[in-house]
Amino acid sequence: MANYARPQGLEEALDLLAEGRWRVLAGGTDFYPGQGARPIRENILDINRLDALRGISRTDDAYVVGARTTWSELIAHDLPPSFDALKAAAREVGSVQIQNAATVAGNLCNASPAADGAPPLLVLDASVEIAARAGRRRVPLGAFVRGNRETALAPDEMVVALVVPRTATAGGSGFVKLGARRYLVISIAMAAARVALAEDGTIGEIALALGACSPVARRMTGLEHALRGRRPETALDFGPDQLVELTPIDDVRASAAYRREAAAEILRRAIRQACDDGAGKEKAA
């Protein structure tokens, strides 16, 4: 028989995780549809009373997004232009009703290759803060999601926050999602870009990421290196062959060949958005 617990504080939650296997539940927008009419057989750890894990704060060196922060709360929060890509992705997470319940951290813990939040968080150099009774650790997002439905979490751990270093919040950002229709769709491909211009008008800082194209979202570090120092008007002159880190997948939504071609195009569009969205603000907020 499955057990259900709704701890009143984080320490109680971590004690329960240390004593047995639990499925951590926040918004539940992935869990309940996936469960369907089947009986629940997992132990459920409901963290919806852990108010300390909700909200967005700013420290001297980072922005901290609590694990219970919803997409709607993120959209409404006053954040620098470098977060605009993440806010654009937030508006693509299902309907407004879903955005009101679903959490930013839950989107990552679900570890879907098509997780909307992954590419814009990658271009912000986000890390995942993980807690257990034994202590806390931070894992870069690129190492946290290991594969389809697979994360770096141990059974006695839970995500408590996402951390974005202020050094990665310079410039503007853009996000483009490609799907079979405009709304309420699982992505064929997603692209996020963050660009900050140097004083001479060239690209001083650039971060690029693609999602839904491979088992995990990826930074395009090779292309970033190639575009750094170029002027924005010439930065869009690249093709699919320069996406060397991309290992596109075949599935029911698109072929690998289509994804590679599409990824280059939507990445160009995301870069254009980023350059139009405060890219001249090179200093981190």
Side-chain angles (χ1 to χ4, degrees):
M1 180 181 295
N3 295 314
Y4 173 84
R6 199 175 196 193
Q8 304 297 308
L10 179 58
E11 292 306 314
E12 182 185 353
L14 297 180
D15 286 343
L16 287 166
L17 286 170
E19 295 165 2
R21 287 188 173 270
W22 296 83
R23 174 72 174 266
V24 178
L25 184 69
T29 55
D30 285 307
F31 174 77
Y32 290 117
Q35 186 68 30
R38 299 188 304 275
I40 295 175
R41 303 193 184 280
E42 297 177 277
N43 294 330
I44 302 299
L45 185 66
D46 184 342
I47 64 169
N48 282 297
R49 286 186 178 168
L50 305 187
D51 291 337
L53 301 187
R54 192 164 194 169
I56 301 172
S57 60
R58 176 172 163 172
T59 68
D60 289 341
D61 57 3
Y63 288 87
V64 181
V65 181
R68 282 195 55 229
T69 305
T70 67
W71 289 109
S72 292
E73 289 168 334
L74 182 132
I75 291 168
H77 201 83
D78 183 20
L79 292 164
S82 53
F83 283 83
D84 285 356
L86 185 58
K87 290 189 174 188
R91 296 184 181 96
E92 298 283 354
V93 180
S95 63
V96 172
Q97 293 92 333
I98 295 295
Q99 294 161 21
N100 288 341
T103 63
V104 185
N107 184 251
L108 301 178
C109 291
N110 193 45
S112 166
D116 292 301
L121 283 166
L122 282 171
V123 302
L124 288 167
D125 288 342
S127 292
V128 181
E129 186 162 324
I130 297 168
R133 192 159 64 181
R136 296 195 180 204
R137 63 189 180 109
R138 285 186 185 176
V139 179
L141 177 56
F144 175 75
V145 180
R146 294 179 171 175
N148 185 17
R149 312 295 179 181
E150 181 185 357
T151 72
L153 282 172
D156 66 336
E157 294 180 321
M158 63 178 283
V159 173
V160 292
L162 305 176
V163 182
V164 174
R166 288 180 62 182
T167 54
T169 60
S173 61
F175 175 79
V176 178
K177 177 175 177 174
L178 174 65
R181 59 179 187 269
R182 179 63 187 88
Y183 296 107
L184 303 177
V185 63
I186 297 174
S187 301
I188 294 172
M190 293 178 290
R194 182 175 61 84
V195 178
L197 300 182
E199 291 185 2
D200 62 0
T202 61
I203 293 174
E205 189 175 330
I206 185 166
L208 308 171
L210 290 168
C213 294
S214 50
V216 296
R218 294 181 179 275
R219 279 280 292 267
M220 298 293 109
T221 54
L223 183 58
E224 291 170 7
H225 180 75
L227 299 184
R228 199 170 290 117
R230 293 173 62 171
R231 303 199 69 81
E233 56 268 26
T234 65
L236 305 180
D237 184 21
F238 64 86
D241 57 314
Q242 289 180 263
L243 305 179
V244 294
E245 292 88 0
L246 187 63
T247 53
I249 56 174
D250 283 297
D251 63 17
V252 295
R253 289 187 292 278
S255 68
Y258 177 81
R259 277 193 166 92
R260 185 175 290 280
E261 292 287 338
E265 174 57 30
I266 64 172
L267 198 52
R268 285 191 288 267
R269 296 182 188 184
I271 293 170
R272 189 180 296 113
Q273 287 181 10
C275 289
D276 292 340
D277 184 31
K281 300 177 181 179
E282 186 179 18
K283 292 184 179 179

